[in-house]
Structure formats: structure tokens, C-alpha cells
Amino acid sequence: MDVHIIKRRTFKKTFLSYTVILIIPIFIFLYISLQNVMNNNYKKLIEMHESDTERVAATIDSKLMECMHIGDKLYHSNWISKFMIDIDVFDDEFGSLRRQEICQDLNNYTAFTGILSNIAVVFPYKDLVVSQRGWYQKDAYFSDIIKIKEHDIEKIYSNMDDYAYFRLMEDTKVTAVNDEDKYIVICQSLELYNKPRAVLLFFIDERYLTSYIKKITSPNLQNIVITSNDMEIFNQDVHNNKEKTGNELIFTTKSSVMSWEYKCIYNDYNLPIQSDQLFPLYIGIAFSLILGAFMALILATISYKPLYSLLNRIFRYDEAQGMLETTSDKNMHEYRIIENSFDRLVDENEAIINRMKNYESAAKSNMLLKLLKGFFNDDKLEDKLNEIGLNYTDDDYFCVALINISQTAQNDGENIIKKRQEIINLILTIEQNTDQMGIDCQILDVLDDAIGLIFAFDYIQSNSEVIDQLLFKAKSSMEKSGNVQLVISMGNMEQGIIGISKSYQMARENMEYMLFESDFVKDNKNMLEKELYYYPTDWEIQLINNLKVGNLDTVTKIIYEIRLENEKRDLPLDSMIRLVTLIMETELRVLDELNIDVGLYQNEFNGILTSENMDEIWSYIYEISDRVCDRRQYANTTSNLEIGNNILEYINKNYNDPNLALKELAQIFNMSVSSLSKLFKEVTGINYYDYLCRIRMEQAKELLKDSKNAIGKVASEVGYENEYSFKRAFKRYEGISPSDYIYKIAEGDSK
């Protein structure tokens, strides 16, 4: 590496920049890694809480299972079976010792579970309760021994009437008179009948259950809630944590024994990050810093080399080196030297830009002139207009105004240039006013020394009136100053880009009336305006040119716009006849230039003209336009006509063949598909599939007239593979379905 490169100020800044850029990802990596460690610890915490919740549920379920086993043992015990008998046959067997044994068994069961405070066997019909505390009357046991509130005793009595197997008592739990002892009561009938004679009651003490849960859970468990069928039966703070950190984490699981759901609520906290988790991270960061500094040096060298090479190509090495080492300017560096070198290029570039602006201005003026004359033959016209700064679309409305000096002022040749300059200044004022109103205004020179204004705007009724007022004020201002008398002509407001030409042609006609009208024109102006058809010379020239090159789409568009504009004028029939005659003469001239005999077409047109049916006349003009553009058909050789007639004859004989297609015909007549399709169109004037469909539909109509012919049969006889295809083709051709056609014929016959 060249030692001079390292000393360069730009190189040092580049190296520092790359170092900073490379350190930023390292810090991002550190942050992301720490987040991953914390997320992993958090996942471990979640897993730990989930495991703890499952353990709580499993342990409580095991205690419930122990209670169920106790109930099953008592269910099969002989002393309960004997004591349920209504008669007192076995009463002598239950002496004091036997009763103490039974109470001791119940006491053992209670102590074994760890969550029960009482187990009681109730014999409702004998008004007796047997518990680990002794044998008591039913009311005395509940009110005096375990001291339950009176309304809760009623709950217990009501739950003993129906058969239940290890069922949670309705209304969930009962409370002692002292409001401190609360029990969850589970009932189990010891007889398989409603209103059993013996009922086993398990009293789960909330304090015992809470103490038991504390022993089996982690210290982070804040609270446990047990619900049954959306009813809360147990809700206790377990570890009574005074300081709660973060949010709460809630985990739920269902009991596998009863319809219980356990909800455990834990403190939300992050496990501490261990040093063994951070050690690999520290190693990675240190390695990244060393590697980053090395990569920054390499990238700075690579980045600086193009600048170094460019500097040496602009200047000699000694010259550039001397400029950098001898200068006292701290801001002088390689880029500043190159910047000074490129200053002269900026001036040259500005000159080029000015020339481009002049070119764009000329292109814009040329395009505006084309729009005035009518622009038909470009589908991407809007894109071209956008390229030169004209945001015209067919949704916009346009109006063209022409401004000229009166004939008297034009005779004054000495001041005409000065007056014209005054007009231009006035028009620039109009342009500024329209810009403020949101109306686009373009200015250009047109023929006959007139100045054209093209206004473009969204359709607002007042816009036309605003333009009228501006032009009127401009004219009055010029006339009052005594400098010049203006002639202003404005066309109609038209929609679409082609409307520019329409409006211009109208303004041009009005301008000619104003400047050059003779006495005859003055006397007959109203009559001439009523009978004046719209067929401008500019459009006629474009029609002729496009006919000669065979551009049918553009020809059709020109004729359509001519027809549309003249129909809007509501001309008398004589004027419309004169218009279509002139258009036909234009097309016949083109045919004559192509060395085609025009007599036949002239006679056909004259015959159609006598009907005075304008739709039919316009259709014939479109048809002749199509023939002119597709003029190859008029140069058919005798051999081509013969082949074409043979093809027609074959189709007429085999139209009912479902497999009759262009590909099959091409194989029969040893031609390519494209050549046969083109030849067929030249001979018949329509394409192959339209001709085949016409033959089949006409034959089908004849067959459908006979009511005995079913639609499916007619479809197969005219060459369709199935009835569905025939119906679809028939409706497309006739506009109605075959069944509607049959009904229409039948209705006509009945009338």
C-alpha cells in the first residue's frame, strides 16, 4: 500500500466512517443477543410456571381421588349397609366400642387426606350423623358441632335429596358461624336411589387446602383460583408476596377428576442472566471489533483507490501531491480539487441544457400544431404529451382562441412588428391570469400570422365565461389605448384531445368570416352557418394519407369524429348528403390512385345514396375504407380466385362437419393456416369463422321452423358437437336463444 494514501485526509475520514458503520451492527448484534438470552430465560420461566400449574392440578386431583376411594370403601362397608335398614334389627351390634371404632376409621381417613376437616355419614331418615367426632343428631351436628350457618345447613339438606356420586355441592361452599372456617362440600350417595338413606359428606377446609398448596408450589405463586362450571369455589393468596414485580402470568388447566378448572397466578419477572450465557457473547464482540477494524481498513483502501486513480488521471501525480502538501487551506482535499476541475464542465452542461430546452420548446410547438390540425394515429399520444410537459387527457375539456390584427392594422406595415409585440405581451398577461385560476394555457403561432391560445381545464360551466371575459377585457384594453384593433375568434368548448382540433377549426372559420367576409357572405352568413358541414382540409389530408398507407384504425377514427361532429350540428339532410359525397370522393380518388376501377363502387354508393338512410350510407363508407386499407384483395390473381372458390364450395358442402376447421382445410388444400385464412378473407370479405357460423345459423333457422325438430338434433345436423355450444352460438348470432326463436315463430304462425 502506498504510504501517501494513509496520510491523505480523505482516506482517514473514510476509514473512520467505515469503522463507525461496522461498529453499529456489532451493537445491534449485542442488543439482539441480549434480547434472545432474556427471551430464552422468559421461555424457561413460562415452562417452569406451566409445570408448576400442572403439578398443582395433579396433586389436588390426587387428593380428590383419595376422597373418592374413601367414598368407595364406605359404600361397601357392612356397618353402613346394616344401619340403612329401616328396622332396628342390627342396632344391638353398634355398641359404644363399635361406634368408637367407626369414628376412629373416619378420623384416620380425614387425617390421611390432609385437606379434609370433617367426614360425615348422614342417615336422613334416622336423623343421625356419624363423623370422626362422634354420633350426633343431624341438626345438632351441623349447628353445634361444626357450627355451620343456618342458611348453609339448608343448602346441605337440599343437596342430600338427590342421588350424587362425588358431586360438588350446589352453591359451592359453606361457612361456619365464626366466618373464619369455610368448607368446600362434596356429596356422595351411599345408595343408588334418589333420596338415599345414607349420604357421605366431605368437608374440604380452605385453610388446609391453602396450606397444602403452599408446600407443593414455588414461592412465585401469588394466587390460585378453582372454578367449577364458571363458578368460583376457591380463591386464596398462597404465598402472600407483598412486593409484586411486573405483570401477572396466568396459567389454567382442567381437572381430570371433576369439572374443576385450576387458575394459577404468578409474578412476571425475568430470570437473571448468568455469566456463562454472556461469556460467548463477549468473545464474539471482541472478535467482531478486531475483524471490523481490519475490514474498515480494507474497504477504505478499496473505496479510495478510484478517487486516487481519478485524481491522477486529471492531474499528474506530482502536481496533485504538491497541491495537497503545500496548501495551507485545511478545506483543500481531493474532492475540492476535482470539484474545481469540474466547474468548467458545469458551464458546458448548462449550455447543453439550454439547447435541450430550446429543442423541447420547438417539439412542444410542433406537437401543438399537430393537435390543432388533428392528431389521430398514435395510441400512446398521452405518453408523448407528458414527455413534453403537456398533461392532456381525453377527460379534459379544451377551447382554442385565435387572436389577430384587423385587416386595416395589417396594411400599416411600419408598425405591425411593434403592434404584434404588444399583443404578445397582452397574451402573456392572459396566461398568468389563467394560471392563477387553475386553467392551463398554451401559446403558439399559427398560420396567417394569428396567435393561438389553447385552454385546458376540468369541465366547469363558468370556465368558458371566464375565458370570454379575459379575451374581451384584453381586446377593450388594446382598443382604448388606440394602439391596435384586435380580431378575436374562439371555438367551442370540446372534450377530449381531438376536441382541440375541433375547437380550432371552428375558431378558424369564425376568423375567416371576420377578416375576409365578402358582401355575399355578410348577407347569407346565417344561412351558410346552418348548412355548413364539418370537413376541414387538415382532416381530409390525414384521411387520404392514412388510406394510402392502409391504417384502418386511424381512418375509422377520423371518419367517426367527422360523423360525430356533423351530427352534433344537426345539419339538414342535403348538407349531410353533400358531406358523405365528399368523403366518398376522397376514398374513390385513393382507389383510383391504386389503379382500381372505381365505377362499381361509385354505382353502389349512388344506389345507397338514393335511400337517404344515413346509417346505411355511413356503413358503406366504413366498408369502402376497409377495402381501401386492405387493398391487396383487389390485386387477386385468377389462380387465387379459383382456389378461393374451391374453398367456398368445399365449406358449403361440409359445413355440418363438427371437425371442419382452418387446420383441416389447410391440409386439404396444401396451404398454411395463416395463408388460407388471409386468402379466404380476400375472396369473401369476412373471416372464415364468421362465414362458417353464418351458413350454420341460416340452415339452423330453417330446421327450427319445423316444430318436430328438437334443438339437440338441429345442433348435430348443422355441425355442432353438443347442444350447449349450438345454443351459445345461436344466441350470439341471432340475439335470442333457439327456444325463444321457436316460440317467436309459433306465435307468428298463430297470428
Side-chain angles (χ1 to χ4, degrees):
M1 182 185 297
D2 191 345
V3 69
H4 295 291
I5 293 179
I6 299 178
K7 295 180 179 179
R8 296 287 174 85
R9 191 178 305 164
T10 304
F11 178 83
K12 294 178 181 178
K13 291 182 178 179
T14 306
F15 172 72
L16 181 61
S17 300
Y18 277 122
T19 302
V20 173
I21 292 172
L22 291 173
I23 287 176
I24 291 174
I26 294 175
F27 282 107
I28 295 175
F29 170 75
L30 174 61
Y31 174 77
I32 294 174
S33 300
L34 289 175
Q35 287 294 323
N36 288 334
V37 171
M38 294 176 65
N39 290 337
N40 290 333
N41 288 348
Y42 190 75
K43 289 179 181 178
K44 291 179 182 178
L45 179 67
I46 297 297
E47 292 174 357
M48 184 175 66
H49 289 336
E50 288 178 346
S51 176
D52 197 52
T53 301
E54 294 294 335
R55 185 171 62 255
V56 170
T59 306
I60 296 177
D61 284 350
S62 68
K63 290 300 176 181
L64 294 176
M65 289 293 294
E66 291 175 3
C67 293
M68 292 178 67
H69 292 323
I70 293 171
D72 292 340
K73 288 180 180 180
L74 292 175
Y75 176 78
H76 294 95
S77 62
N78 291 328
W79 72 270
I80 290 179
S81 300
K82 293 177 180 181
F83 212 80
M84 283 193 299
I85 298 174
D86 294 336
I87 58 178
D88 299 331
V89 176
F90 300 104
D91 287 354
D92 295 338
E93 296 183 12
F94 297 97
S96 60
L97 292 177
R98 178 58 177 156
R99 292 189 178 191
Q100 288 181 3
E101 289 177 0
I102 293 173
C103 291
Q104 185 61 40
D105 290 340
L106 294 178
N107 187 55
N108 292 337
Y109 291 149
T110 304
F112 176 74
T113 60
I115 61 173
L116 295 177
S117 61
N118 293 287
I119 295 178
V121 181
V122 182
F123 298 92
Y125 293 102
K126 293 189 175 183
D127 192 25
L128 177 66
V129 175
V130 179
S131 71
Q132 76 270 26
R133 299 186 182 186
W135 296 52
Y136 305 97
Q137 289 186 346
K138 186 171 61 174
D139 291 339
Y141 177 76
F142 290 114
S143 59
D144 299 333
I145 303 304
I146 60 176
K147 298 180 180 181
I148 295 175
K149 291 183 178 180
E150 184 176 350
H151 67 276
D152 287 338
I153 296 175
E154 295 299 326
K155 293 180 187 178
I156 295 174
Y157 289 169
S158 63
N159 276 272
M160 291 190 299
D161 290 340
D162 297 326
Y163 171 77
Y165 177 74
F166 207 74
R167 184 187 67 192
L168 183 70
M169 191 189 78
E170 294 182 4
D171 296 330
T172 65
K173 55 188 177 183
V174 297
T175 307
V177 175
N178 58 11
D179 291 326
E180 294 181 359
D181 299 331
K182 296 181 180 179
Y183 309 101
I184 300 171
V185 182
I186 296 176
C187 300
Q188 181 172 342
S189 301
L190 298 179
E191 188 177 25
L192 300 177
Y193 301 102
N194 285 334
K195 295 187 177 181
R197 289 173 292 180
V199 178
L200 177 61
L201 299 178
F202 296 99
F203 291 84
I204 300 176
D205 194 311
E206 286 191 353
R207 291 177 299 174
Y208 294 173
L209 182 59
T210 302
S211 176
Y212 182 74
I213 292 173
K214 284 182 180 180
K215 297 176 183 179
I216 63 173
T217 56
S218 66
N220 294 316
L221 180 64
Q222 291 183 16
N223 184 268
I224 182 169
V225 179
I226 303 176
T227 58
S228 176
N229 297 323
D230 297 329
M231 295 182 62
E232 185 179 287
I233 60 176
F234 181 79
N235 187 343
Q236 290 292 328
D237 289 334
V238 179
H239 292 289
N240 296 321
N241 293 325
K242 295 181 179 180
E243 295 183 0
K244 297 182 180 180
T245 58
N247 299 321
E248 294 179 341
L249 294 176
I250 300 175
F251 299 88
T252 60
T253 185
K254 294 184 179 297
S255 171
S256 60
V257 178
M258 300 186 67
S259 60
W260 287 12
E261 185 176 75
Y262 305 104
K263 180 166 69 173
C264 296
I265 303 173
Y266 297 88
N267 278 332
D268 182 12
Y269 68 96
N270 285 324
L271 293 176
I273 300 175
Q274 304 298 322
S275 59
D276 59 342
Q277 293 177 308
L278 294 178
F279 181 74
L281 186 60
Y282 292 148
I283 297 298
I285 292 173
F287 178 76
S288 299
L289 289 172
I290 296 171
L291 182 62
F294 180 71
M295 290 298 298
L297 180 63
I298 295 175
L299 291 173
T301 304
I302 295 173
S303 301
Y304 185 76
K305 277 188 176 180
L307 177 62
Y308 184 70
S309 300
L310 179 61
L311 192 66
N312 289 331
R313 292 190 66 178
I314 297 175
F315 306 99
R316 290 180 300 175
Y317 173 79
D318 294 338
E319 181 182 355
Q321 184 67 23
M323 293 174 63
L324 290 169
E325 293 180 354
T326 58
T327 181
S328 59
D329 186 1
K330 293 183 179 181
N331 295 323
M332 180 59 68
H333 48 77
E334 295 89 335
Y335 290 107
R336 178 59 61 84
I337 295 174
I338 296 174
E339 180 182 353
N340 294 336
S341 301
F342 279 97
D343 281 343
R344 63 177 181 273
L345 297 178
V346 172
D347 296 334
E348 296 176 2
N349 185 54
E350 289 180 354
I352 294 173
I353 292 174
N354 291 331
R355 287 197 294 270
M356 287 297 298
K357 288 182 179 179
N358 293 334
Y359 168 78
E360 291 176 358
S361 178
K364 186 175 183 179
S365 298
N366 184 48
M367 177 57 75
L368 289 173
L369 286 173
K370 288 182 179 180
L371 294 178
L372 290 177
K373 294 181 179 180
F375 204 89
F376 298 93
N377 58 348
D378 196 342
D379 294 335
K380 297 182 179 179
L381 176 58
E382 292 186 9
D383 294 338
K384 288 187 176 181
L385 292 175
N386 289 333
E387 290 176 1
I388 60 176
L390 295 174
N391 299 320
Y392 291 168
T393 68
D394 283 327
D395 294 329
D396 295 332
Y397 286 81
F398 301 92
C399 180
V400 177
L402 298 177
I403 300 177
N404 207 340
I405 303 173
S406 67
Q407 190 67 26
T408 304
Q410 290 185 23
N411 295 331
D412 187 5
E414 295 180 359
N415 297 322
I416 188 67
I417 297 177
K418 181 179 178 181
K419 293 178 180 180
R420 185 174 178 82
Q421 185 60 45
E422 292 177 358
I423 294 174
I424 293 175
N425 294 335
L426 181 65
I427 292 173
L428 292 175
T429 303
I430 296 175
E431 182 185 22
Q432 293 175 357
N433 292 332
T434 54
D435 288 341
Q436 294 174 359
M437 292 183 289
I439 301 174
D440 181 71
C441 178
Q442 299 294 332
I443 305 171
L444 71 159
D445 287 330
V446 295
L447 299 178
D448 304 324
D449 295 327
I451 298 175
L453 300 177
I454 301 177
F455 299 99
F457 41 82
D458 295 333
Y459 183 70
I460 302 174
Q461 189 65 34
S462 60
N463 277 340
S464 180
E465 298 175 0
V466 168
I467 294 172
D468 279 336
Q469 294 173 3
L470 287 175
L471 295 176
F472 178 76
K473 289 180 180 179
K475 182 179 179 181
S476 301
S477 176
M478 292 294 289
E479 291 176 351
K480 286 181 180 180
S481 64
N483 292 330
V484 66
Q485 185 176 5
L486 298 181
V487 178
I488 299 177
S489 173
M490 190 170 75
N492 294 332
M493 184 171 61
E494 302 283 352
Q495 186 179 20
I497 296 176
I498 194 62
I500 297 174
S501 180
K502 293 180 181 180
S503 183
Y504 166 69
Q505 299 295 342
M506 177 62 70
R508 185 176 177 184
E509 290 176 7
N510 294 335
M511 180 68 73
E512 290 175 354
Y513 279 131
M514 296 176 184
L515 291 177
F516 307 111
E517 59 186 3
S518 62
D519 293 337
F520 173 78
V521 173
K522 291 179 180 179
D523 296 336
N524 300 277
K525 182 177 179 181
N526 293 333
M527 179 188 70
L528 291 173
E529 287 180 347
K530 290 181 180 180
E531 299 184 359
L532 187 62
Y533 50 80
Y534 184 81
Y535 190 35
T537 304
D538 295 328
W539 288 26
E540 182 182 15
I541 293 171
Q542 293 191 63
L543 177 61
I544 293 171
N545 293 335
N546 284 281
L547 283 169
K548 288 181 178 180
V549 299
N551 193 346
L552 179 60
D553 291 339
T554 304
V555 169
T556 304
K557 186 175 181 181
I558 294 173
I559 295 175
Y560 171 77
E561 292 293 346
I562 293 173
R563 178 182 180 182
L564 185 66
E565 182 62 25
N566 283 282
E567 287 178 348
K568 284 197 320 186
R569 296 190 175 200
D570 197 19
L571 298 175
L573 181 61
D574 291 343
S575 296
M576 291 295 289
I577 294 296
R578 177 59 182 159
L579 170 67
V580 294
T581 302
L582 289 175
I583 297 174
M584 188 64 192
E585 288 176 356
T586 301
E587 295 190 336
L588 293 178
R589 284 202 307 273
V590 176
L591 283 172
D592 186 59
E593 291 179 10
L594 297 174
N595 297 321
I596 297 174
D597 185 10
V598 299
L600 174 63
Y601 304 107
Q602 182 68 64
N603 294 334
E604 289 181 356
F605 179 73
N606 291 337
I608 296 174
L609 206 60
T610 56
S611 67
E612 297 184 351
N613 185 334
M614 292 309 301
D615 290 336
E616 186 177 352
I617 294 172
W618 283 113
S619 296
Y620 186 75
I621 289 176
Y622 286 126
E623 182 180 348
I624 295 300
S625 301
D626 189 7
R627 293 182 184 180
V628 174
C629 294
D630 195 18
R631 56 186 177 274
R632 291 184 179 179
Q633 64 176 321
Y634 304 115
N636 283 326
T637 62
T638 304
S639 60
N640 286 344
L641 291 174
E642 183 178 354
I643 295 173
N645 290 330
N646 292 336
I647 295 172
L648 281 174
E649 184 178 356
Y650 184 88
I651 294 172
N652 292 336
K653 290 181 180 180
N654 300 278
Y655 69 90
N656 57 354
D657 182 5
N659 297 319
L660 187 62
L662 274 174
K663 185 176 181 180
E664 182 182 357
L665 287 174
Q667 293 176 352
I668 294 172
F669 291 94
N670 195 22
M671 299 174 66
S672 66
V673 175
S674 59
S675 298
L676 189 143
S677 177
K678 185 176 181 181
L679 178 62
F680 188 91
K681 177 70 179 294
E682 290 175 352
V683 173
T684 62
I686 62 175
N687 63 52
Y688 164 77
Y689 287 104
D690 288 342
Y691 181 82
L692 181 61
C693 182
R694 180 183 298 177
I695 293 176
R696 287 177 171 176
M697 291 300 106
E698 293 300 326
Q699 183 62 27
K701 286 160 61 176
E702 293 297 323
L703 294 174
L704 289 172
K705 290 179 181 178
D706 187 355
S707 59
K708 296 180 180 180
N709 292 325
I711 295 177
K713 181 181 178 182
V714 173
S716 62
E717 288 186 6
V718 297
Y720 285 90
E721 293 181 346
N722 54 67
E723 184 176 338
Y724 173 78
S725 300
F726 169 71
K727 287 181 178 179
R728 186 175 59 181
F730 189 95
K731 188 169 184 179
R732 187 169 59 247
Y733 184 82
E734 286 295 321
I736 59 175
S737 65
S739 56
D740 291 339
Y741 181 81
I742 295 172
Y743 176 80
K744 183 178 180 182
I745 293 174
E747 187 179 19
D749 292 339
S750 63
K751 291 182 179 180

